[in-house]
């Protein structure tokens, strides 16, 4: 986890944060395609950025995605308390890519994400990473807006998860195929920019446990959160939000989210990265 | 898309002259007041106050530009929330699909007004605070300089990339590339030829910009000085006290049982 702090010492990583943020914000507005819910969300090709840039620029993409989403809020007029959760959600959206790649045990392809060799296995790994990152982002934002009492978890959780996953899974592989080798030749991969001592010194077993834990918790959080919100199978707290936390959302939803988020932070703090070992 | 995507309106009003930190304090008061209450009558107070202030500082064009988003979020919230709360009070509408009670309507209206209050409050802030003031405000509340620098640089680069994204889109369209289709997957795939040039144009300059910064002695760890440092005067302190007082009073009233549905 220390790379998320030590990267701020490197000028090129700082510039990458700014560039990722600016590109992310710039692509969210003009390339908003098919509108799903007016004013709330559309099929946005820009959503592919956090995961693919996360795989190339590591921690810079995590910070860049978070800042890019904040800038989008400022320029799109949706800046407010929800922007804090948008910031955190997009931070994890950008961070999980490099944390999970190579650390997913049987799901991992064992090669760098250039879609040149073992393309089929890379696709499987990429989909797993995309789903986990999208689920984490969706769960954090949906939970945050539930805490603020703005939208029920099931509304935004479902929309953000599907929207992020669709854009990332469809656009990610071709974009990585076309851009990864060029950026590698430029020497701008995070593994080229960060010093060895800046990268997390984590054993393979611990890194895999953390990565699989992050994958599981992200998916479980979004699925259980939506189920509770929708009242699936008569979960007692279900759709009825009679028991609310202050004027926020359902107490159980908020408690579940708080526990999941703490586990998420714990797993992140013990997580590692394996891309530096996979790159030739 | 206009050439300037910024929502900042350059005027010389009382709110414009305030320090970004004091505006954040005032905003905190508006947000807490909108959050504390559920009764639409009570939530209407911070919403109306923010809206009046927004119009007074010249933010009406911004509101018109974003009114579609505000209205859409309001309506979606209003349509969704009745399904997530207990019925109560008189039945206002009865259909074969179900009925809507007074409590459900009030609850949904309160939540929708809260959404609108948050958006209008945020819009008031960005209408009266320039990008430079936002970054300086972040630095002055103790956020590390490197982070503030990245935000400031991103805010400056963003319009450039926005322009280049639009240029690439038009250039590809001129070559016969069609973006579209109702199928989301087909639609998304059609964006690939647009995204590559935008990515590579942006990334190509990173090395050069980093070298230029280092050649000028860029160091994120040293103490920084700012050319345009805003003073934090008496008016700022009064506004911060007002914001905190509004927040504290809202919480106190809520704990006394006021403003609930």
């Amino acid at each position: 986890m220390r790379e998320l702090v030590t990267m701020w010492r490197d000028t090129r990583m700082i510039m990458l944060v700014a560039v990722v943020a600016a590109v992310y914000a710039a692509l969210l507005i003009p390339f908003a395609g098919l509108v799903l819910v007016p004013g709330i969300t559309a099929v946005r090709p820009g959503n592919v950025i956090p995961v693919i840039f996360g795989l190339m620029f590591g921690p810079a993409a995590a910070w860049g995605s978070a800042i890019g989403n904040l800038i989008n809020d400022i320029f799109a007029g949706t800046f407010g308390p929800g922007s804090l959760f948008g910031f955190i959600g997009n931070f994890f959206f950008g961070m999980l890519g490099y944390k999970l790649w190579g650390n997913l045990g049987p799901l991992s392809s064992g090669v760098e994400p250039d879609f040149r060799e073992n393309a089929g296995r890379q696709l499987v790994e990429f989909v797993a990473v995309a789903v986990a990152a999208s689920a984490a982002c969706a769960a954090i934002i949906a939970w945050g807006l539930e805490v603020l009492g703005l939208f029920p978890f099931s509304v935004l959780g479902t929309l953000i998860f599907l929207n992020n996953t669709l854009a990332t899974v469809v656009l990610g592989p071709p974009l990585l195929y076309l851009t990864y080798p060029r950026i590698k030749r430029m020497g701008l991969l995070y593994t080229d920019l960060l010093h060895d001592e800046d990268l997390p010194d984590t054993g393979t077993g611990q890194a895999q446990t953390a990565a699989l834990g992050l994958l599981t918790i992200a998916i479980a959080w979004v699925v259980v959160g939506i189920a509770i919100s929708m009242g699936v199978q008569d979960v007692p707290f279900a759709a009825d939000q009679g028991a609310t936390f202050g004027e926020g959302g359902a107490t159980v939803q908020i408690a579940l989210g708080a526990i999941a988020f703490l586990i998420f932070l714990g797993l992140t703090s013990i997580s590692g990265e394996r891309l530096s070992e996979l790159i030739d | 898309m206009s050439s300037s995507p910024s929502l900042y309106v350059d005027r010389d009003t009382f709110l414009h002259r305030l320090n970004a930190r004091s505006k954040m304090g005032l905003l905190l008061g508006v947000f807490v007041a909108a959050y504390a209450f559920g009764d639409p009558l009570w939530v209407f107070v911070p919403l109306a106050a923010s809206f009046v202030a927004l119009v007074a500082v010249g933010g009406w064009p911004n509101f018109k530009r974003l009114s579609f988003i505000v209205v859409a979020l309001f309506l979606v919230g209003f349509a969704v929330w009745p399904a997530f709360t207990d019925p109560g009070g008189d039945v206002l509408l009865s259909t074969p699909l179900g009925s809507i009670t007074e409590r459900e309507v009030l609850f949904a209206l309160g939540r929708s007004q809260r959404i609108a209050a948050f958006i209008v409050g945020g819009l008031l802030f960005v209408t009266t605070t320039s990008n430079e003031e936002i970054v300086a405000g972040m630095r002055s509340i103790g956020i590390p300089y490197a982070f503030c620098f990245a935000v400031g640089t991103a805010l400056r680069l963003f319009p450039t990339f926005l322009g280049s994204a639009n240029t690439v889109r038009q250039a590809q369209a001129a070559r016969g590339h069609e973006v579209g289709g109702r199928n989301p997957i087909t639609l998304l795939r059609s964006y690939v030829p647009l995204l590559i040039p935008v990515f590579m144009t942006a990334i190509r300059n990173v090395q050069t910009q980093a070298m230029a910064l280092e050649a000028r002695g860029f160091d994120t760890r040293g103490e920084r000085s700012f050319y345009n440092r805003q003073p934090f005067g008496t008016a700022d302190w009064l506004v911060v006290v007002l914001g905190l007082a509004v927040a504290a009073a809202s919480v106190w009233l809520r704990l006394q049982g006021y403003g609930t549905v």
Side-chain angles (χ1 to χ4, degrees):
Chain A
M1 192 178 180
R2 67 179 169 204
E3 76 280 3
L4 289 163
V5 177
T6 56
M7 61 136 279
W8 289 104
R9 293 178 199 153
D10 187 281
T11 310
R12 282 172 299 179
M13 289 296 275
I14 295 171
M15 275 311 300
L16 277 174
V17 171
V19 168
V20 170
V23 171
Y24 188 31
L27 289 181
L28 287 179
I29 295 173
F31 289 152
L34 189 66
V35 175
L36 297 176
V37 179
I40 296 185
T41 194
V43 172
R44 301 193 301 185
N47 285 351
V48 69
I49 293 223
V51 174
I52 67 162
F53 278 8
L55 288 168
M56 294 190 276
F57 307 131
W63 289 109
S65 305
I67 294 170
N69 189 69
L70 186 67
I71 290 174
N72 181 56
D73 281 356
I74 290 172
F75 284 93
T78 49
F79 176 73
S83 300
L84 172 67
F85 296 99
F87 184 92
I88 299 169
N90 277 276
F91 180 84
F92 279 92
F93 194 20
M95 190 192 71
L96 287 195
Y98 80 96
K99 289 285 185 191
L100 265 52
W101 192 271
N103 280 325
L104 290 175
L107 291 173
S108 285
S109 59
V111 290
E112 56 187 313
D114 58 2
F115 287 88
R116 292 287 193 286
E117 56 175 313
N118 284 347
R121 294 209 53 195
Q122 282 199 48
L123 185 62
V124 171
E125 184 171 13
F126 184 82
V127 171
V129 168
V131 167
S134 303
C137 177
I140 291 168
I141 296 175
W143 174 62
L145 295 201
E146 170 100 20
V147 171
L148 292 171
L150 295 182
F151 285 104
F153 188 101
S154 54
V155 176
L156 281 191
T158 312
L159 283 174
I160 297 172
F161 174 65
L162 292 177
N163 203 357
N164 287 356
T165 306
L166 189 67
T168 310
V169 168
V170 173
L171 289 174
L175 288 176
L176 274 172
Y177 180 83
L178 293 166
T179 57
Y180 186 93
R182 296 178 197 193
I183 287 169
K184 188 179 175 185
R185 275 200 300 277
M186 289 179 189
L188 284 175
L189 296 179
Y190 77 93
T191 51
D192 296 324
L193 299 178
L194 292 177
H195 301 292
D196 287 343
E197 62 268 24
D198 291 334
L199 294 169
D201 184 19
T202 313
T204 309
Q206 184 181 319
Q208 279 195 5
T209 306
L212 290 167
L214 286 166
L215 174 78
T216 310
I217 294 292
I219 296 169
W221 185 2
V222 83
V223 170
V224 174
I226 291 170
I228 290 173
S229 186
M230 299 288 287
V232 172
Q233 294 186 336
D234 294 329
V235 179
F237 19 87
D240 174 9
Q241 301 233 344
T244 58
F245 180 81
E247 282 298 335
T251 305
V252 170
Q253 191 75 267
I254 292 171
L256 169 83
I259 293 165
F261 188 64
L262 286 175
I263 296 172
F264 225 80
L265 285 180
L267 289 169
T268 303
S269 68
I270 62 163
S271 63
E273 64 80 46
R274 196 154 165 254
L275 269 167
S276 53
E277 295 169 28
L278 298 176
I279 292 171
D280 301 328
Chain B
M1 181 68 57
S2 71
S3 58
S4 171
S6 175
L7 294 172
Y8 175 65
V9 175
D10 193 7
R11 289 263 184 97
D12 186 27
T13 68
F14 174 72
L15 280 176
H16 279 84
R17 286 191 295 272
L18 288 174
N19 190 292
R21 278 178 290 171
S22 56
K23 278 183 263 193
M24 286 179 200
L26 189 61
L27 204 58
L28 178 75
V30 172
F31 287 162
V32 171
Y35 181 75
F37 305 114
D39 188 326
L41 274 176
W42 288 73
V43 185
F44 183 73
V45 177
L47 170 61
S50 307
F51 183 76
V52 169
L54 179 67
V55 174
V57 298
W60 174 246
N62 280 344
F63 183 80
K64 270 205 304 188
R65 188 166 142 191
L66 299 168
S67 57
F68 174 72
I69 292 174
V70 180
V71 171
L73 287 171
F74 188 93
L75 291 178
V76 170
F78 192 65
V80 162
W81 275 114
F84 289 83
T85 189
D86 290 328
D90 298 335
V91 174
L92 299 179
L93 181 67
S94 189
T95 68
L97 295 171
S99 54
I100 300 283
T101 64
E102 186 182 356
R103 185 181 187 281
E104 288 170 324
V105 169
L106 288 176
F107 186 86
L109 192 58
R111 293 294 168 104
S112 291
Q113 284 187 358
R114 181 187 296 175
I115 295 167
F118 284 172
I119 293 177
V120 175
L123 194 54
L124 177 63
F125 181 75
V126 297
T127 297
T128 56
T129 317
S130 68
N131 293 341
E132 292 74 18
E133 287 169 344
I134 291 174
V135 175
M138 287 167 62
R139 180 73 190 111
S140 61
I141 58 172
I143 294 174
Y145 173 71
F147 184 87
C148 297
F149 174 82
V151 174
T153 309
L155 282 166
R156 274 196 294 276
L157 289 174
F158 163 67
T160 311
F161 292 162
L162 193 61
S164 91
N166 279 315
T167 305
V168 167
R169 194 172 59 168
Q170 287 163 9
Q172 299 287 48
R175 289 179 179 89
H177 177 71
E178 284 184 24
V179 175
R182 294 303 294 174
N183 179 341
I185 293 175
T186 313
L187 175 73
L188 281 169
R189 278 190 183 146
S190 67
Y191 282 106
V192 173
L194 302 179
L195 295 175
I196 300 284
V198 179
F199 284 3
M200 296 317 295
T201 309
I203 304 295
R204 202 175 290 137
N205 294 325
V206 168
Q207 293 276 29
T208 323
Q209 287 162 337
M211 280 191 282
L213 281 171
E214 286 177 348
R216 286 166 173 79
F218 177 74
D219 178 13
T220 56
R221 282 165 283 187
E223 195 49 46
R224 310 295 305 187
S225 58
F226 288 88
Y227 176 72
N228 187 19
R229 188 180 284 277
Q230 275 188 299
F232 199 87
T234 311
D236 292 300
W237 282 112
L238 290 173
V239 166
V240 168
V241 169
L242 175 67
L244 293 177
V246 169
S250 302
V251 172
W252 184 79
L253 285 167
R254 173 69 183 79
L255 292 174
Q256 300 303 309
Y258 292 100
T260 56
V261 176

